[in-house]
Amino acid sequence: MTSLHEPPLFAALKDAERVLVAGAGGGFDVYAGLPLAFALLDSGKSVHLANLSFSALDLIDADAWCEPNLAAITPATAGHDRYFPERTLARWLAAQGMDLTVYAFPRTGVRPLQDAYRALVRRLGIDAIVLVDGGTDILMRGDEAGIGTPEEDMTSLAAVAGLDVPVRLVVCAGFGVDAYHGVYPAGKGGP
């Protein structure tokens, strides 16, 4: 039972103790999950961050790799200086006094990504995963005017769907932001 006093998202996460907020489509999707992560931290939950990365992860230090296809990004992680959203986020969090590692998954197939998620779940004792899409193309149903950029979202969705984690959710933040890719939440034809 949900109410206006407890939104359904928070009701679903009520019993979770260790939550992974993960950017589903890469790039800056993990940033769209920050308001949720901060609210969960404020409620006493242990929160971890991860992102499907578009960064040149082949340039990071070898010791940043925890497992195949799983890197732990900190403010000190060496890597590409022009585009590295995960390290930028780790540095910003550190400047705010938060010691949070941002885990990064390279773009890969469903099975390798699922193995990396599984390793992270074991490593951190995760009991809830919230996949965050900065947009809504993770919810595509096939009648949109354009295809958007769903391949990364779908890979993350399939990888997490196959995990044995008690709570697995998808959150879309930035309703309508995919319009520049021809994806309109209303379906055919757009606005």
Side-chain angles (χ1 to χ4, degrees), residues 14 43 49 64 72 75 77 83 98 104 128 172 187:
K14 187 178 200 169
S43 71
L49 301 171
T77 301
Y83 183 84
M98 293 182 231
C172 294

Side-chain angles (χ1 to χ4, degrees), residues 123-141:
R123 178 193 260 304
L124 301 175
I126 298 298
D127 57 4
I129 298 175
V130 180
L131 279 177
V132 179
D133 181 18
T136 57
D137 58 350
I138 198 169
L139 301 175
M140 289 182 65
R141 49 181 207 200

